[in-house]
């Protein structure tokens, strides 16, 4: 099948995107195996997902630079991917890099700086994004495009300040002063106005509000999000239901995360950190049915690079008042955990678009810390949603 | 309702049984809450389970002694239950202690010593057990009796040495020389011959063979087992499916358990330890679909008492070859984790018996390390079985 | 020998003081052994220190209440000391409680509230303290008095705002407006003006400035401090020199402390926390000779009570660029670690006073996180100071 | 100074030796810094130690192969040293590899296999070693030679079976049947008979018996050992004295080590493991003054390669009976920790030989798990020995 799908990454030279680019190139060359890819599991393998060589990468990026340099610097700092593999992917990385366009920045927060001019209005920014996406589509003759947001976490946007309907929100896009949205939502709006699919892998707002959901349905577009569930929160949504299932009372749950990547540096700014911590912390009460004291910290420790270490201390009470503890230490390479999920989500959103699904793709909840339209936080319950979906599709095909 | 059910504990003055006795007495007095009890969760609360004051405790024990002394010594060593609570339960503990009869020992392994005479033959031992059980039933006017095996782990009995059918196995019970079974199975046979329910909370053989399963069905009796899933294995069956669901390759899984209770002392004998380690280790390959290198050790460290500490080190590989680790430290009071599950299992087996269920109760898999008749190891999949059962019963009632 | 020494605790019903009171009472009754007491080690046993029954406890306290209630509540929450021991010490605890006087509060910070009237001036507060100390001395016929500061950590007092000389500082004590000191220093001044000994077990200023040091020497009084080294910092000053001695480069050292005692609650106020974190963090660069990135957090987690858990993550580099980690988890009962050191310091300061030593007792550095007059942070080097002192005294006696 | 010193490694293509070879080559090219090298610390820098380019490497090896392949395979498996550095050292590694001679194997234990013929008698083996050492010396015009034993751990040799005097031991070397020694001691004897220096970095016997000590003194040769202290034991000898200094009672100390290098594979054989575990475990009682329950395990986990992970659980008691815990997790690259110490020891033994020191070099105790002739186990006390030595030498020069 000659059908091609574009994956457009926002933050296209960041750590996750760099690993997506190297990883996809390596998969296309069969230089690596399927480890880490959920869509390569038996559960999903019967779905007619795009093959690796049907996928074309491009993206927006605020910073200048070069994808090969980024990959080498990343490999040097984090001891993976191997420099040999980066070399082996060189020509593909060059081609991807040539497709990267200057990104749009609007109210991004103090920690994020763009090289280049500001946009004139939110609407002007949206139109610029749409031009880039359409050029990408026509140049590579793409049947569909999935936009994946990987940009640095923005400060939170209070939901109370947002209009409930698209027809109202649309009007606020005409002037900078009227608009409370930030870049992430401009990308979402541009994507959905074109009927393309949008995946929000970050805690930023993106498409996560009623008004933009209306837009998605109006344009027959689908979207999913938000905040990829890669490490400590994944563990939390796996373990908390165990305490609930055994009627053990969680008295406190403390999680300290230390990491040294750019994400960590941005999160060191208090307003950006708040958005992240909120996203991680919301989950516990929902799974347990009550709110234990809980604490989540994320701290920037330069020497760790992209190797995030999380320590979790769970203090719980059992029968006869026994006070017990579970402690976890997780040492994971953040981008190597995130990158395959980005590819999985792009394939699954593309598959949904090909089937004409619209609005929030709730069955993708297991991929996200704050799943949209889906209050269930328990990982295995979320996984059943995905399995049921795959079974239903397969049974009907 | 005046209906009463007996719970007969094998190992009735051991650490778990002592906590069961204090715990049930405290529940009957409403001195403690439902923490740790699975049968008090919403999922199971609609089942017509026996109320706490419908339950009467008794049991067999090899060692002499006294339940109040045992409870005080335990509380002193392990800082729970509180001495106040033990005092508050004193008259009930005295009553329970008066119902404890000398146990039967047959080929129990080098680490277990019985005070008193040996049995003449396995059949003689079985008849003695049956007399004790029937006396317990008639004295307390019990509708049903559930026997729960809590005795020290026996050396393994090779399955290849066991006859496939009850009519053959029965013949071997007449002389000591002909019989390869050990005490745990004599208890199981006695229980099932009376049509009572049998729960095997230990790794010993008990009723876990085809011939005894035949007996259970013949007598319309039910049973469940084996090896209560309280700590490290619970975590393993919660976490391993997560690695599978994310296509992360577990390269090695090392688990070291240290504890200082009598169980640990018995397990320090190499032949007893083997049975235990086998039971813990079987689970991993089933959940992952391949066998990573794995190691489980259990060591007796006196100072820890009943507070088991487990350290697990999981080494796994992700996308692009990233080698990552998850480490766990679990500090739990073994008996405070086990005791409520014993009460849960007794209530559920009693409920099954009241409904006329026979043979292996597969839907109780989530309570066991080596669930009978049920190859599924994944805790949440096991939990779905229990939830489905409860829903079915409730819907039909 | 009829010679008696008074120990006067500031914060006399707090967690540490309560454990000091129970512990000293138990030692006087020979109900407990010497575990945890440095002065009972062979190294110091040859010194003519006060015997346990020569010591009389009293103190100041801001809060109302009762020492027996405090001990029972503490024991209940923290599972030690045993309620039996508290009962056994009841009459002694009553006697100590009767000696507790209302404390003085001056610029204590937002988190600390006193029941009772404010003082008229710093000097008035000092005179009130002196009256209480002299009454204590005369009532119990005490040869010497050691005052030990155990009160909640105050906000930091900038050293730049303090006069260099006692004659200047003294003048600022006349009016509230002129004085930048806080309660801790008023206690120090009162103590030293009487020629008594002062031990600062907290991070507060106390006697730690040049002007008050002048006062101590002028009155032939001695003092020691500050901030008792009980847990995570003790480990740090034991382990950091190891990295230095092996030429391993510490790249980052992260320490997260969680605890749920009153100390933790006060430290949750940002201004109080700052003082504490500063005191912990100063040590690393001094031991390594360079400043790795370092982070120390202290968070209040109610369920933990006085059981502080500290997680330390040390990221270090070795030969050929190998990046390695050491992680520590420390679970200690804060007051059970602190209380014997308070008794040790009181005995040693009393011994120093008896010998006529004046000014800072530098050889007590191993007891403190921020040792006065002594820049050495390495625990074993500090210990050599103490050993040398003991040897010198013993050789001369 | 044109003076040259040879370093002759037994086990010259093993993991440690490979890292020594790459490391020394890199130091000679100034491609790496002094991190991990004790002899580059201020404390020792005043000693007239051999400069890096005065050192010439050679050695014995049982297995065939090639040092460059070994270095590349090691780097690939363990993610260090970088492949770039290995490449940069290629010509030097080739030169070193050309100096490696087939080793001698005598009663090495079941886990070690030699390619090539057996020796005719211990004496014949010794003479072969001596020929190789003398050829190395003359070919490279070496002033002195230090032999460092890095070969796999041998099964233990009971001290009771060894003659007390060299004149007796010497006689047993004539026939295989009479000799209870193993290869490690043949290397030691050959080295010392030539008056060269011998360093035993392994737990094997080597020169650690009275008879061989006699030989050393007779030939004016010096030696040091045994069993390099790199990881978990280093921590133990740093931390145990802290518990002693605070009068905290260690009730149990459990250490589990997992690793996947060749050393681990050999140690998986029970008789080899015994020797290693003995060496690690002896230390605790000496530092504490009493013997807590202690457990040390070493397990081979293939996926870890040379990255040893150690988990230590220390259960200790404090004042008022408080039971507390310290847990450690150490993740270190074994060879990157060992290799610089090998270079340090070679330089220091060479310096001792140049000064005419003979017999056991006790001041090197801090480098070893089982320091010869020196019962002190406390790391910092051991370090004082080394510091005092350096000061004495410097003062006299």
């Amino acid at each position: 099948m000659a059908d091609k799908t574009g994956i457009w990454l926002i933050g296209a030279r960041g750590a996750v995107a760099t690993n997506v680019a190297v990883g996809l190139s390596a998969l296309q060359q069969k230089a690596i195996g399927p480890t880490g890819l959920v869509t390569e599991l038996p559960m999903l393998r019967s779905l007619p997902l795009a093959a690796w060589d049907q996928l074309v990468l491009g993206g927006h990026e605020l910073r200048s630079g070069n994808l090969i340099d980024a990959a080498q610097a990343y490999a040097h700092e984090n001891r993976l991917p191997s420099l040999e593999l980066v070399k082996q992917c060189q020509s593909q990385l060059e081609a991807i890099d040539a497709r990267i366009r200057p990104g749009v920045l609007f109210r991004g927060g103090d920690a994020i700086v763009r090289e280049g001019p500001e946009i004139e209005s939110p609407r002007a920014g949206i139109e610029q994004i749409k031009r880039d996406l359409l050029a990408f589509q026509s140049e590579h003759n793409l049947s569909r495009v999935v936009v994946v947001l990987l940009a640095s976490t923005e400060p939170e946007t209070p939901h109370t300040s947002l209009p409930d309907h698209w027809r109202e929100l649309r009007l606020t896009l005409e002037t900078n002063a009227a608009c409370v949205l930030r870049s992430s939502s401009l990308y979402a709006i541009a994507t959905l106005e074109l009927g393309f699919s949008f995946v929000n892998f970050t805690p930023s707002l993106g498409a996560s509000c009623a008004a933009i959901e209306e837009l998605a349905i109006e344009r027959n577009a689908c979207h999913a999000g938000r905040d990829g569930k890669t490490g400590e929160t994944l563990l939390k949504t796996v373990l908390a239901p165990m305490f609930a299932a055994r009627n053990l009372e969680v008295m406190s749950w403390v999680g300290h995360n230390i990491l040294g990547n750019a994400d960590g540096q941005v999160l060191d700014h208090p307003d950006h950190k708040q958005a992240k911590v909120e996203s991680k912390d919301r989950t516990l009460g929902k799974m347990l049915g009550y709110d234990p004291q809980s604490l989540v910290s994320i701290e920037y420790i330069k020497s760790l690079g992209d190797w995030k270490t999380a320590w979790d201390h769970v203090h719980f009470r059992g029968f006869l008042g026994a006070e017990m503890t579970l402690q976890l230490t997780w040492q994971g390479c953040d981008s190597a955990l995130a990158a395959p999920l980005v590819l999985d989500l792009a394939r699954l959103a593309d598959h949904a678009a090909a089937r004409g699904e619209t609005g929030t793709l709730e069955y993708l909840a297991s991929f996200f810390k704050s799943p949209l339209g889906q209050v269930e936080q328990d990982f295995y319950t979320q996984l059943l949603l995905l399995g049921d979906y795959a079974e239903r599709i397969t049974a009907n095909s």
Side-chain angles (χ1 to χ4, degrees), chain A residues 79 104 111 127 130 149 154 168 216 249 292 300 311 349 354:
Chain A
R79 298 174 302 286
V104 161
E127 295 306 319
K130 286 162 80 171
L149 183 69
E154 295 170 347
E168 295 153 18
E249 180 199 350
Y300 177 69
W311 174 65

Side-chain angles (χ1 to χ4, degrees), chain A residues 155-347:
Chain A
E156 248 191 320
T157 304
H159 266 76
T160 49
S161 66
L162 293 170
D164 287 337
H165 297 288
W166 170 240
R167 63 176 183 273
E168 295 153 18
L169 183 66
R170 191 177 43 184
L171 297 176
T172 72
L173 301 172
E174 299 307 323
T175 64
N176 288 353
C179 183
V180 299
L181 299 174
R182 300 179 188 276
S183 323
S184 69
S185 298
L186 305 196
Y187 282 112
I189 291 168
T191 304
L192 297 170
E193 285 190 342
L194 291 175
F196 292 161
S197 314
F198 184 76
V199 174
N200 183 357
F201 205 76
T202 78
S204 300
L205 185 67
S208 321
C209 63
I212 302 183
E213 174 78 14
E214 266 190 19
L215 167 64
I217 288 167
E218 190 180 308
R219 302 296 168 108
N220 291 320
C222 62
H223 69 103
R226 60 181 176 174
D227 205 1
K229 181 153 83 173
T230 53
E232 195 216 6
T233 305
L234 176 62
L235 285 169
K236 214 175 235 177
T237 60
V238 161
L239 287 165
M242 177 193 80
F243 291 103
R246 281 290 167 90
N247 210 352
L248 298 166
E249 180 199 350
V250 175
M251 294 183 290
S252 59
W253 193 309
V254 174
H256 286 297
N257 295 264
I258 52 178
L259 82 168
N261 62 15
D263 200 31
Q265 220 163 356
V266 168
L267 288 172
D268 232 34
H269 282 249
D271 48 352
H272 295 255
K273 185 184 285 191
Q274 190 51 32
K276 181 77 175 182
V277 169
E278 280 296 306
S279 175
K280 290 180 82 98
D281 215 9
R282 228 168 268 158
T283 56
L284 212 48
K286 290 185 189 163
M287 289 180 289
L288 295 172
Y290 55 91
D291 282 310
Q293 189 182 1
S294 106
L295 179 77
V296 178
S297 84
I298 305 177
E299 307 283 355
Y300 177 69
I301 300 296
K302 192 176 183 315
S303 71
L304 295 174
D306 206 27
W307 284 88
K308 187 197 277 183
T309 297
W311 174 65
D312 272 49
H313 180 278
V314 189
H315 191 201
F316 63 98
R317 200 194 318 262
F319 199 54
L320 294 167
E323 297 194 8
M324 305 181 268
T325 56
L326 171 64
Q327 295 178 64
L328 306 165
T329 323
W330 170 266
Q331 293 171 299
C333 183
D334 238 31
S335 298
L337 288 162
L341 302 184
V342 169
L343 290 169
D344 288 328
L345 284 164
R347 285 173 109 186

